[in-house]
Amino acid sequence: VDDEETIVGFLKESLDSLGYTVTAFTDSIQALEAFKTDPDVFDLVITDMTMPGITGDALSREILAVRPEKPIVICTGFSNLMNEQRAREIGVRAYLTKPVLRGKLAATIRGVLDGKNTDLFIS
């Protein structure tokens, strides 16, 4: 989930090439509605922090209210509203700063999905 189409396209293409099935959204409200409609179809949520509609932290709280065990990765540039400590407090599994490199993204997702590393707060 990211409001910038270019970023969504890059992430979707990168994750598709790694063998993941990706459902991409540029609208956080639509993403939340899709999640609430069928939360079990999503194994992992990757979201930007700063977006119109619902911010990444609010989206994360809403998702975790429905499925507390759902792994979430927040990606952000500079933000006064989000940092590693706040992400942990919300229940986010990983925190990445932009720009997110493909290798770092792949390692983070694999670690989160495998449950091998539950403290993937990477700057």
Side-chain angles (χ1 to χ4, degrees):
V1 183
D2 196 304
D3 61 312
E4 294 184 44
E5 287 186 33
T6 306
I7 292 173
V8 169
F10 165 76
L11 292 175
K12 181 173 180 2
E13 183 178 303
S14 294
L15 296 174
D16 283 342
S17 73
L18 293 169
Y20 295 105
T21 301
V22 179
T23 304
F25 293 92
T26 55
D27 182 305
S28 56
I29 294 170
Q30 288 178 350
L32 180 58
E33 289 171 1
F35 181 83
K36 286 183 173 180
T37 298
D38 192 0
D40 293 329
V41 78
F42 302 98
D43 296 318
L44 169 79
V45 176
I46 302 171
T47 182
D48 185 29
M49 176 56 199
T50 306
M51 299 178 289
I54 302 174
T55 59
D57 59 336
L59 178 62
S60 297
R61 284 192 301 274
E62 291 278 345
I63 288 168
L64 294 171
V66 175
R67 288 287 193 272
E69 74 288 351
K70 194 63 64 179
I72 299 173
V73 177
I74 285 187
C75 302
T76 187
F78 176 78
S79 173
N80 288 326
L81 303 174
M82 181 56 61
N83 58 38
E84 293 176 22
Q85 179 181 346
R86 181 147 165 73
R88 282 186 181 114
E89 290 168 358
I90 292 169
V92 169
R93 300 269 181 93
Y95 176 90
L96 295 170
T97 55
K98 291 181 179 179
V100 178
L101 302 176
R102 185 176 187 260
K104 187 182 286 188
L105 178 65
T108 300
I109 291 170
R110 191 71 267 148
V112 168
L113 290 175
D114 289 347
K116 292 179 181 174
N117 188 349
T118 58
D119 193 24
L120 292 164
F121 288 80
I122 303 168
S123 297

